[in-house]
């Protein structure tokens, strides 16, 4: 065991990364390579599928080379893949050549068509089937666009000569001896073509988007046999690819959130929250997304997903637009140098407000300032605003979960509430923010030592598949995990939350 490792390939939007984990889930080596972004028109975002493949191969190979140097006896037991979600690739089934650029999740080229769908009653049917709110973000309209606009593609696809896949499928196809054309359920659940209740590609949606079924990948579980690796490297050739999951679901798994009510938040530029809802596909009353969580074994688990547009980006705004900070990290000490914000609140609705308010026209505001208000108070109000937004989404998730239990007559069997919020991402390094988050949620905030939870999730799925780890290993916490316990009195929390609600009300048209 001591010479055995698991490799995770984390194929992200701007870079491909490869991370090697040892049996203790510790990172032993990381390689990363950025690749070009293409913006052919305003609002359009593309990647070259070959850049994605080649950068992935190079980081995997570089990791294997380093591992051999570091431990000549080393053996890679399994490979897991996690990836940017929703991005679409089409390729020739016979030659493996891409037939168009990859259309990236951020690309808005199909936004007009999807806006029209939002107003159409069929939008609700799509939401019921897929758990997703119709948007250009998801794969369906991007694939439909390619079939309409790439000359000859539709005829070739109908003849069975074209493969469609999200990035996981593209990589699995190219990395396996078997040329496996498959995707995992978490990735499938972001295409807007997959019925999350029947766990099959939805015939009616395929017809609606005019997608030939023959081009779709087989849908597998996240912890499953995807094939054997066929990279020309003696350490990687023949290794089983046993785990695949979309990045956010992989992070939820990597955080050990395997039971209903357990949730994680990633504090990056924006914040990404996922809550495991167990075997229930919870229909959100707050326009959160219902999605499939990575799970092991036969039973499928679901999750609610929500995001906060302005997370760490608020700190960047203080640093880059206002010049109040030299570094993002400095915000911690400055915020802690004052005892409160003097009753002021920042509502960072710079690009509107997401869940649970959903007001694209709301704009930012700093409310409640008094004469003593200084820059330290602004820094503090900014960090606090991140925590308030996260608590709004967590509360919405908890309410949705509770209603789902009540609707099924499970009220007696108490709906699982959040006991602790697991955290990761760049801004989770900020102790002031983490403590305030725990205070305002009234729950513990748990930050693992390894904040590379996305890669860890994929590694764990693959390691579980080959029996390298067991379920205990997935949930076991490292001794260096930091827990922030809530210390704020209930009365103070209630008062602060009331102030936040009032501040939000002042920037949106609709009262909250
Ligand atoms: P992404 O993956 O979205 O690029 P990261 O997880 O790398 O984001 O986190 C970067 C974000 O976190 C930036 O917006 C930055 O302002 C913020 N950030 C990084 N370190 C800190 C810190 N110590 N305190 C507060 N914010 C931070």
């Amino acid at each position: 065991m001591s010479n055995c490792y698991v490799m995770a390939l984390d194929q992200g939007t701007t870079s491909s990364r490869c991370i090697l984990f040892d049996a203790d889930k510790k990172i032993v080596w990381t390689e990363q390579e950025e690749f070009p972004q293409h913006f052919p028109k305003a609002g359009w975002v593309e990647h070259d599928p070959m850049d994605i493949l080649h950068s992935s191969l190079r980081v995997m190979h570089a990791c294997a080379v380093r591992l051999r140097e570091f431990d000549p006896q080393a053996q890679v037991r399994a490979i897991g893949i996690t990836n940017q979600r929703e991005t679409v690739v089409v390729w020739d089934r016979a030659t493996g050549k891409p037939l168009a650029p990859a259309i990236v999740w951020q690309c808005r080229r199909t936004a007009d068509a999807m806006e029209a769908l939002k107003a159409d009653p069929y939008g609700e049917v799509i939401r019921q089937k897929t758990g997703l709110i119709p948007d250009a973000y998801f794969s369906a309209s991007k694939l439909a666009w390619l079939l309409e606009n790439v000359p000859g593609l539709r005829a070739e696809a109908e003849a069975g000569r074209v493969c469609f896949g999200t990035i996981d499928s593209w990589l699995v196809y190219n990395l396996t001896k078997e040329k496996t054309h498959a995707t995992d359920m978490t990735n499938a659940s972001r295409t807007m073509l997959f019925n999350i209740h029947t766990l099959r590609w939805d015939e009616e949606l395929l017809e609606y988007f005019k997608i030939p079924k023959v081009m779709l990948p087989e849908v597998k579980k996240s912890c499953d046999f995807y094939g054997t690796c066929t990279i020309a490297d003696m350490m990687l050739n023949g290794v089983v690819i046993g785990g695949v999951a979309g990045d956010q679901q992989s992070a939820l798994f990597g955080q050990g959130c395997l039971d209903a009510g357990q949730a994680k938040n990633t504090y990056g530029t924006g914040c990404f929250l996922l809550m495991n809802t167990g075997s229930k596909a919870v229909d959100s009353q707050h326009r959160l997304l219902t999605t499939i969580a990575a799970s092991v074994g036969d039973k499928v688990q679901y999750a609610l997903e929500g995001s906060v547009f302005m997370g760490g980006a608020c700190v960047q705004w203080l640093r880059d637009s206002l010049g109040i900070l030299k570094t993002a990290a400095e915000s911690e000490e400055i915020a802690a140098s004052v005892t409160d914000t003097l009753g002021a609140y920042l509502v960072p609705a710079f690009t509107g407000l997401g869940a649970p308010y959903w007001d694209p026209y709301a704009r930012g505001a700093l409310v409640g300032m008094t004469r003593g208000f200084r820059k330290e108070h602004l820094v503090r109000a900014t960090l606090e605003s991140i925590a308030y937004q996260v608590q709004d989404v967590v509360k919405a998730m908890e309410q949705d979960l509770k209603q789902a239990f009540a609707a099924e007559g499970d009220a007696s069997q108490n709906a699982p509430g959040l006991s602790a919020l697991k955290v990761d991402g760049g801004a989770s390094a900020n102790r002031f923010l983490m403590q305030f988050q725990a205070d305002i949620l009234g729950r513990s905030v748990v930050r693992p030592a390894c904040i590379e939870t996305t890669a860890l999730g994929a590694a764990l799925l693959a390691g579980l598949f080959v029996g390298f780890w067991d379920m205990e290993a997935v949930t076991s916490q490292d001794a260096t995990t930091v827990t922030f316990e809530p210390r704020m009195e209930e009365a103070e929390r209630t008062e602060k939350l009331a102030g936040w609600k009032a501040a939000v009300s002042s920037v949106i048209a609709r009262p909250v």
Side-chain angles (χ1 to χ4, degrees):
M1 279 290 273
S2 67
N3 296 110
C4 293
Y5 302 84
V6 175
M7 175 175 274
L9 174 62
D10 178 0
Q11 205 304 307
T13 310
T14 57
S15 71
S16 301
R17 304 169 69 221
C18 185
I19 302 185
L20 280 165
F21 291 91
D22 67 12
D24 297 327
K25 305 193 290 183
K26 294 231 160 51
I27 294 174
V28 293
W29 196 257
T30 303
E31 290 283 342
Q32 175 162 1
E33 188 179 311
E34 289 194 10
F35 58 86
Q37 310 286 312
H38 301 286
F39 310 106
K41 287 189 188 179
W44 289 32
V45 189
E46 294 178 354
H47 291 157
D48 180 341
M50 295 314 280
D51 284 343
I52 288 182
L53 175 60
H54 289 146
S55 59
S56 298
L57 287 170
R58 279 191 293 267
V59 290
M60 289 172 82
H61 185 68
C63 262
V65 169
R66 287 307 301 234
L67 187 57
R68 264 194 295 278
E69 282 169 15
F70 158 80
D71 180 356
Q73 306 298 317
Q75 201 195 335
V76 176
R77 286 290 309 277
I79 299 171
I81 298 176
T82 179
N83 57 290
Q84 51 164 316
R85 304 176 300 173
E86 295 109 12
T87 299
V88 307
V89 185
V90 284
W91 66 94
D92 184 306
R93 197 181 290 280
T95 66
K97 287 221 165 58
L99 298 168
I103 305 187
V104 179
W105 59 272
Q106 296 156 323
C107 187
R108 302 304 297 170
R109 78 183 62 188
T110 54
D112 289 347
M114 295 310 283
E115 278 312 309
L117 185 53
K118 276 181 195 168
D120 188 313
Y122 197 66
E124 178 55 20
V125 176
I126 294 181
R127 201 184 67 79
Q128 291 293 339
K129 285 173 181 278
T130 66
L132 307 172
I133 295 166
D135 195 278
Y137 190 79
F138 305 108
S139 315
S141 66
K142 298 178 196 294
L143 178 56
W145 188 94
L146 286 173
L147 286 163
E148 280 310 303
N149 291 280
V150 175
L153 186 64
R154 180 175 297 283
E156 286 293 296
E158 279 167 358
R161 289 194 285 268
V162 178
C163 294
F164 151 75
T166 39
I167 296 297
D168 55 313
S169 301
W170 169 240
L171 291 170
V172 163
Y173 179 87
N174 281 286
L175 295 179
T176 51
K177 240 179 220 118
E178 299 82 355
K179 292 250 166 281
T180 311
H181 183 210
T183 187
D184 93 298
M185 276 191 203
T186 67
N187 275 293
S189 74
R190 315 300 294 189
T191 58
M192 231 171 69
L193 298 170
F194 190 69
N195 188 314
I196 60 169
H197 309 288
T198 63
L199 305 177
R200 290 179 198 287
W201 296 117
D202 191 280
E203 302 281 351
E204 195 182 290
L205 290 177
L206 294 180
E207 206 169 298
Y208 182 85
F209 287 102
K210 301 192 181 70
I211 312 285
K213 192 174 183 188
V214 53
M215 72 189 304
L216 300 179
E218 177 195 351
V219 184
K220 288 175 169 281
K221 287 177 280 185
S222 301
C223 180
D224 209 332
F225 181 72
Y226 282 82
T228 44
C229 186
T230 183
I231 299 182
D233 180 296
M234 59 183 182
M235 196 176 255
L236 301 179
N237 198 28
V239 176
V240 168
I241 300 180
V244 173
D247 52 11
Q248 295 304 320
Q249 283 96 335
S250 188
L252 186 70
F253 196 82
Q255 285 276 21
C257 297
L258 309 187
D259 295 318
Q262 294 185 321
K264 71 94 194 171
N265 182 35
T266 302
Y267 296 82
T269 308
C271 293
F272 275 100
L273 282 110
L274 263 80
M275 178 182 276
N276 186 317
T277 60
S279 55
K280 281 193 209 306
V282 173
D283 185 11
S284 175
Q285 305 302 307
H286 300 91
R287 295 179 62 206
L288 299 169
L289 304 179
T290 311
T291 197
I292 295 183
S295 55
V296 175
D298 289 332
K299 72 177 181 30
V300 166
Q301 291 197 323
Y302 293 89
L304 280 170
E305 177 170 328
S307 53
V308 168
F309 306 145
M310 294 291 292
C314 296
V315 181
Q316 278 169 340
W317 167 72
L318 288 181
R319 188 193 60 192
D320 303 336
S321 304
L322 301 189
I324 284 178
L325 300 173
K326 283 203 245 359
T327 64
E330 197 181 62
S331 60
E332 176 176 330
E333 206 186 319
I334 299 176
S337 73
V338 286
T339 52
D340 56 26
T341 64
L342 298 177
Y345 292 86
L346 174 75
V347 186
F350 299 102
T351 55
L353 282 171
Y357 308 106
W358 294 110
D359 184 350
Y361 304 107
R363 289 295 174 261
L366 182 57
V367 301
M369 282 180 292
T370 49
R371 186 66 182 81
F373 191 83
R374 288 184 284 118
K375 82 167 190 194
E376 289 80 1
H377 298 110
L378 176 57
V379 172
R380 188 172 175 119
T382 303
L383 291 178
E384 289 187 358
S385 77
I386 302 173
Y388 284 124
Q389 295 179 90
V390 168
Q391 95 86 38
D392 280 338
V393 179
V394 169
K395 283 281 133 65
M397 287 177 165
E398 283 187 323
Q399 278 171 17
D400 281 341
L401 192 57
K402 206 164 156 191
Q403 276 184 6
F405 267 73
E408 288 186 22
D410 277 357
S412 56
Q413 195 197 315
N414 278 336
L418 181 83
S419 57
L421 180 68
K422 309 279 185 79
V423 299
D424 50 57
S428 72
N430 191 305
R431 283 164 298 188
F432 169 82
L433 174 59
M434 294 302 102
Q435 184 57 51
F436 190 77
Q437 187 72 76
D439 287 341
I440 217 65
L441 275 173
R443 316 286 167 81
S444 314
V445 165
V446 178
R447 187 179 65 197
C450 170
I451 55 171
E452 295 288 357
T453 52
T454 306
L456 179 60
L460 287 170
L461 288 163
L464 281 165
F465 182 73
V466 298
F468 180 64
W469 282 308
D470 56 17
M471 290 308 282
E472 212 186 314
V474 179
T475 47
S476 71
Q477 280 187 5
D478 197 279
T480 46
T481 295
V482 183
T483 301
F484 299 85
E485 297 293 355
R487 293 196 298 237
M488 193 179 279
E489 294 292 331
E490 186 64 38
E492 188 182 350
R493 175 163 49 243
T494 307
E495 191 191 322
K496 282 193 168 11
L497 285 171
W500 166 250
K501 284 260 179 253
V504 171
S505 295
S506 72
V507 307
I508 58 180
R510 197 167 43 78
V512 288

